[in-house]
Amino acid sequence: MPRERRRWLVPFVLVNLLAAVAPAAEAQAPPAAAGEGTEGAPSVSISAPVAGDAGPLADAAPAPATPSPRVVAVHRLLVEHEGAEETAEADGEAPAHPVGLGEILAVEVAGLETFLATAGGMGDVVLFLDGVPLSELNPLGLRLDRGWLVFRLDRGEDDDRAWHLLLGTPTSLVREVSVTVGRDAEHPLPTEVEDFPLAVIYPWEMGIFAVLLLVATIGFAAAARRSDLLRDRTAEVPAGAARPFSLARCQMAWWSFLVVAAYVFIWLALDELDTITPSVLGLIGIGSGTALGARLIDQQKKQSQDEAEAALTQAQAKAAPAAEAAADPATSILQRAEMARLAQRTAELQGAVKGASRGFWRDVLWDGGGMSLHRFQIVVWTLVLGIIFAASVYTELTMPDFSATLLGLMGISSGTYLGFKLPERQQQP
């Protein structure tokens, strides 16, 4: 090769080598920070792709977040016959009519499938009413197409206290409560239902109960006033006069009436039948025992009075002919003494047996000497325990369980009354 040609070939090879090495070095160099550039070279910024560009980041946009499950509505279900499809009564957040024990409701949950997945299935789902978990109220079924969890409002043994808390101290027949569900008893879902109408007692049931109770009260009072239902039937009174009221009979009627009314009221509210407590049986037993003891004492007094009157009559019948025929004055004196003794005994027994009524409160509180302390004591304790009994039924929907000490106090009061009744005299009108 000529010398001149070799001289131009060397620079040409060097230029090509530099051109091949420069892009590789540029690719290995770290990117410059924003706002920085090499000295003497302009900085380069990368702009976001404009709308319509199908850049490589277009398919990597984040998907919208799934909302957390929550309760959005509660429906009262109407089932006309077995096998019929449940239909919702209302489409709003809460049903138009109150729902009580024994009825079926559907809790509509937004995101039901997600909720069931976190709960591990339907078996552990718990219903909450006003924040109170009902652990035994598991769903009867579900409707995924509507987002429904179906429940029947039934009382279980473990939920008994919860139902008493929910329905006790009713200020109205219908109570507005919040409704939700949870995966267990400690994790309720958020809810939009805050005014669910929970029926304490259905208005029509309460209306019938109130009417029947009023009629029974008025009828019982009229019968007690016009008949001997609560009166002492052993008392002998003049024709047309009413016999006096018996304290023991009134006490027995008081407890019987309270217990019957409370039993029906609790049954209407809780559909519960086993509500009679041992202390209630004790109170009824004390009242019945007092009435029975008073009856026996009055009968004994009446029998003694009849025997004394018969003996007096017999003595008088013998005394008249004997006084005429007897020549011995001592015989007449002895007969007169016997008749005087029998007359005094008859008068005492007549005073012990009550006369005509002088009004209810005077009959139950007064004896021959005025107001009696033992009668006043039993009346006060009967009224006090009756008020406590009614308040307990109203606030807790349960009959109270009085202590043995309190029942013993009532027994002592009744025993004292019966003890003082044996020699008790009743002032004649």
Side-chain angles (χ1 to χ4, degrees):
M1 178 179 295
R3 185 182 180 89
E4 183 71 16
R5 188 174 179 178
R6 288 199 305 267
R7 187 176 58 185
W8 289 103
L9 182 59
V10 173
F12 177 78
V13 173
L14 292 175
V15 170
N16 286 334
L17 288 175
L18 290 175
V21 173
E26 184 178 355
Q28 294 178 359
E36 295 181 357
T38 57
E39 186 177 347
S43 62
V44 180
S45 63
I46 300 176
S47 61
V50 297
D53 287 347
L57 299 178
D59 296 333
T66 303
S68 60
R70 69 188 188 283
V71 174
V72 296
V74 178
H75 308 282
R76 174 174 177 257
L77 299 188
L78 307 175
V79 182
E80 296 181 359
H81 54 82
E82 186 176 358
E85 181 181 2
E86 299 92 347
T87 57
E89 179 192 56
D91 294 330
E93 292 183 356
H97 299 283
V99 179
L101 284 172
E103 293 202 62
I104 301 175
L105 57 85
V107 180
E108 185 176 340
V109 181
L112 178 59
E113 295 185 9
T114 304
F115 169 67
L116 292 177
T118 59
M122 197 173 57
D124 295 330
V125 174
V126 175
L127 180 68
F128 288 77
L129 296 181
D130 235 14
V132 179
L134 303 173
S135 57
E136 290 192 15
L137 270 184
N138 302 120
L140 296 176
L142 56 86
R143 292 286 300 272
L144 287 176
D145 56 334
R146 300 187 181 183
W148 286 1
L149 286 171
V150 181
F151 295 87
R152 181 190 294 275
L153 296 182
D154 291 329
R155 286 179 56 254
E157 294 182 0
D158 294 341
D159 294 336
D160 184 70
R161 181 59 184 169
W163 281 110
H164 282 276
L165 180 64
L166 285 169
L167 302 179
T169 319
T171 56
S172 63
L173 299 180
V174 178
R175 173 171 292 171
E176 292 186 351
V177 298
S178 63
V179 181
T180 187
V181 293
R183 57 185 173 88
D184 53 37
E186 299 178 356
H187 299 87
L189 290 180
T191 181
E192 298 177 5
V193 182
E194 300 289 346
D195 55 353
F196 174 75
L198 178 64
V200 179
I201 298 178
Y202 289 107
W204 65 270
E205 291 181 342
M206 188 62 189
I208 295 176
F209 172 71
V211 170
L212 292 179
L213 182 62
L214 181 62
V215 170
T217 303
I218 295 175
F220 188 84
R225 184 177 180 84
R226 298 178 182 179
S227 69
D228 293 338
L229 183 64
L230 298 180
R231 299 178 186 273
D232 184 3
R233 299 183 180 183
T234 61
E236 293 184 355
V237 297
R243 290 186 171 92
F245 286 98
S246 169
L247 173 59
R249 286 174 176 264
C250 291
Q251 183 193 39
M252 183 175 67
W254 167 265
W255 285 119
S256 299
F257 216 80
L258 274 181
V259 171
V260 170
Y263 184 85
V264 176
F265 181 77
I266 296 174
W267 172 69
L268 290 176
L270 293 175
D271 196 21
E272 186 176 2
L273 297 177
D274 189 14
T275 56
I276 303 297
T277 61
S279 62
V280 172
L281 290 179
L283 288 174
I284 295 177
I286 290 173
S288 301
T290 304
L292 180 60
R295 173 72 173 176
L296 293 176
I297 291 173
D298 289 338
Q299 284 183 338
Q300 182 181 4
K301 289 180 180 180
K302 183 67 170 60
Q303 183 179 0
S304 299
Q305 179 187 354
D306 293 341
E307 291 175 355
E309 288 179 348
L312 177 61
T313 302
Q314 184 178 6
Q316 289 175 344
K318 292 180 179 180
E324 295 177 358
D328 189 1
T331 304
S332 178
I333 293 174
L334 291 175
Q335 291 175 341
R336 291 194 186 98
E338 179 65 16
M339 286 188 294
R341 187 186 67 79
L342 292 173
Q344 182 180 3
R345 176 61 178 165
T346 301
E348 291 176 354
L349 292 172
Q350 286 177 342
V353 179
K354 293 182 180 180
S357 174
R358 294 171 292 168
F360 176 78
W361 289 110
R362 288 184 66 86
D363 290 342
V364 300
L365 291 177
W366 268 258
D367 58 14
M371 178 179 287
S372 174
L373 180 60
H374 61 277
R375 287 174 169 264
F376 178 78
Q377 181 188 42
I378 195 171
V379 168
V380 168
W381 274 113
T382 300
L383 292 176
V384 168
L385 292 183
I387 294 173
I388 295 174
F389 180 91
S392 178
V393 171
Y394 174 76
T395 56
E396 301 181 7
L397 293 179
T398 184
M399 295 191 187
D401 196 3
F402 296 117
S403 66
T405 303
L406 196 56
L407 292 178
L409 178 62
M410 281 295 299
I412 291 174
S413 298
S414 297
T416 303
Y417 162 72
L418 293 177
F420 277 99
K421 187 176 179 63
L422 285 169
E424 187 179 76
R425 296 174 57 88
Q426 192 70 19
Q427 188 179 15
Q428 298 291 330

